[in-house]
Amino acid sequence: MTDTDTPAPTHTQPAPPSPSAELRAALSEAGLRAGVTDADAGNGVRIAPLDPADARQLARLIRTGTKRALKTARALREICEGYRIDLPGLRVERGRITLGPVRVDDAARLARLLGAVPPTTEQPGAEAGTGADAGTVMAMLDHTFPQATGGGTLPVSVQEHTPGLLELGSIDARTARRLILALQF
C-alpha cells in the first residue's frame, strides 16, 4: 500500500459547545445560579432573572476579567498623550483595545516613534511626518507596528469620508502592553 492509498482518518472533531452551554457552564463554575437558554431562531442567548447577590457577583467577575485590559488601555492613553498623540476613540470592547479614529499627523507621529522612516518628499524644515498623506502613514504603520510589538498587528484603514483621519482597529491587551513598552524607550 502506498501513501496515496492510505485511507483518510475517520475521526471528526467534536462540535464546540453552544454559546448558551458555554455560558451556563461558566456561571455554574463561578457558583452562580442562572437559567441560560438559546433565544428563538438561534439569535442570541437568554439569561433568566438573577438573584441580586448573584448579579453583584457576576458584575464583580466581569470587572475582574476586564481589569487588566482597562488598566492597559489607560496606560496606553497616558503614554500617547505624553507624546501628543490624541486617541479619542480608545476603548475596551470584548476584551480587546480599540484605538479608534486618529488624525493622520498623530498616526504619523506614532509610526515615527515606533521607528518608521518618514518619506523623503518632505519640505525642508518641516517636521517629519507632518502633512503626510493617509496612505503613506498607513503603510508606515503596517510596516513598523509588527516590528515594534514583536509581531502584533494593528488593522489600519483610511477614512474615506473624513479626510485627515485613519481608523486604527483593535489589538489584544498583550500587544497593547508591547506597544507601551516600545513607546517607553
Side-chain angles (χ1 to χ4, degrees), residues 4-111:
T4 58
D5 296 334
T6 306
T10 57
H11 59 76
T12 59
Q13 294 291 330
S18 70
S20 61
E22 192 171 342
L23 179 58
R24 189 178 308 109
L27 289 170
S28 177
E29 290 165 3
L32 302 175
R33 297 170 311 273
V36 179
T37 58
D38 289 318
D40 297 332
N43 291 328
V45 175
R46 293 186 195 271
I47 301 175
L50 293 170
D51 173 89
D54 286 342
R56 282 198 259 329
Q57 179 62 16
L58 180 58
R60 278 192 290 276
L61 289 170
I62 291 170
R63 286 187 192 107
T64 300
T66 59
K67 189 175 197 173
R68 191 167 187 173
L70 291 168
K71 185 177 177 180
T72 301
R74 186 174 28 253
L76 181 58
R77 180 183 305 282
E78 289 171 0
I79 198 161
C80 285
E81 286 173 354
Y83 285 116
R84 298 182 339 266
I85 298 170
D86 187 27
L87 296 172
L90 191 138
R91 63 195 178 281
V92 175
E93 290 181 318
R94 296 183 178 198
R96 294 181 61 84
I97 298 169
T98 300
L99 283 78
V102 61
R103 290 187 349 246
V104 171
D105 288 346
D106 285 343
R109 189 174 302 113
L110 175 62

Side-chain angles (χ1 to χ4, degrees), residues 67-173:
K67 189 175 197 173
R68 191 167 187 173
L70 291 168
K71 185 177 177 180
T72 301
R74 186 174 28 253
L76 181 58
R77 180 183 305 282
E78 289 171 0
I79 198 161
C80 285
E81 286 173 354
Y83 285 116
R84 298 182 339 266
I85 298 170
D86 187 27
L87 296 172
L90 191 138
R91 63 195 178 281
V92 175
E93 290 181 318
R94 296 183 178 198
R96 294 181 61 84
I97 298 169
T98 300
L99 283 78
V102 61
R103 290 187 349 246
V104 171
D105 288 346
D106 285 343
R109 189 174 302 113
L110 175 62
R112 286 191 319 275
L113 288 166
L114 296 177
V117 177
T120 57
T121 59
E122 301 278 288
Q123 296 293 329
E127 179 186 349
T130 301
D133 70 70
T136 301
V137 174
M138 187 170 88
M140 289 167 53
L141 282 170
D142 284 344
H143 177 73
T144 307
F145 192 87
Q147 293 174 350
T149 60
T153 59
L154 174 66
V156 181
S157 59
V158 176
Q159 293 272 352
E160 291 181 29
H161 303 294
T162 315
L165 286 181
L166 288 175
E167 181 70 31
L168 304 181
S170 68
I171 56 179
D172 58 39

